[in-house]
Amino acid sequence: ATAPTRTLNFGSVTASSITVSAAGSSDATAGLHATPFYFDRDAGVTNSGYVLGDWTDSALSVNTQYSYRLKVRDAASAANESSFSDTQTKYTYANTPGTPSILSSAATSLTVKIAVNSNPSNTEFAIQEANSGNFVQANGALGGTTVWQTYAN
């Protein structure tokens, strides 16, 4: 008896959820079990149990990396189970930052405060000046290259 093949895919992603699927998984001999897919997050932190279709892992933290793997079972009378797939990772989205505020201004400079909107400290932001389309560089000058920095920077 052979174990079924397994293919882990990602579906929709939001700031608080990631959907995983097993499209492409199969078993040429016995077919797949009625609930064939078992999705595992972060090596056993949580799992889907055996399910028929996609699994949406919800109540996740914003802008955080999660790792997933999959195993599949077939419909044989003594179900054959695959080993876990290779682990794949995906980040939840960051929250859209709020409107920045100008704390102070001078003839050639501004002090801008980013509204981080509950994003974690590792979230990176880029500030674009609307008139020229240029971005704030690491040294505070404007330039054509997008520069991503954390709030602390």
Side-chain angles (χ1 to χ4, degrees):
T2 30
T5 61
R6 73 260 184 281
T7 305
L8 177 69
N9 300 292
F10 289 103
S12 65
V13 176
T14 70
S16 62
S17 69
I18 296 173
T19 299
V20 287
S21 72
S25 299
S26 64
D27 186 281
T29 307
L32 294 178
H33 190 277
T35 53
F37 309 125
Y38 184 97
F39 300 98
D40 179 73
R41 178 182 25 108
D42 296 330
V45 169
T46 194
N47 65 70
S48 64
Y50 279 100
V51 296
L52 174 58
D54 299 350
W55 176 51
T56 299
D57 190 11
S58 56
L60 301 176
S61 296
V62 172
N63 194 22
T64 301
Q65 184 181 46
Y66 293 95
S67 300
Y68 295 90
R69 58 189 184 163
L70 160 73
K71 62 181 174 180
V72 179
R73 63 182 174 178
D74 66 16
S77 56
N80 299 299
E81 187 176 85
S82 71
S83 59
F84 275 112
S85 64
D86 290 338
T87 298
Q88 295 184 45
T89 60
K90 187 66 92 173
Y91 275 86
T92 51
Y93 290 156
N95 289 324
T96 302
T99 303
S101 55
I102 298 173
L103 300 179
S104 64
S105 63
T108 59
S109 67
L110 295 172
T111 301
V112 177
K113 181 177 181 181
I114 297 171
V116 299
N117 192 16
S118 301
N119 282 301
S121 62
N122 65 318
T123 302
E124 295 182 337
F125 301 91
I127 300 174
Q128 185 177 31
E129 192 274 319
N131 290 330
S132 68
N134 286 324
F135 293 88
V136 174
Q137 303 297 292
N139 65 2
L142 292 176
T145 305
T146 307
V147 175
W148 295 93
Q149 300 181 78
T150 62
Y151 180 77
N153 292 341

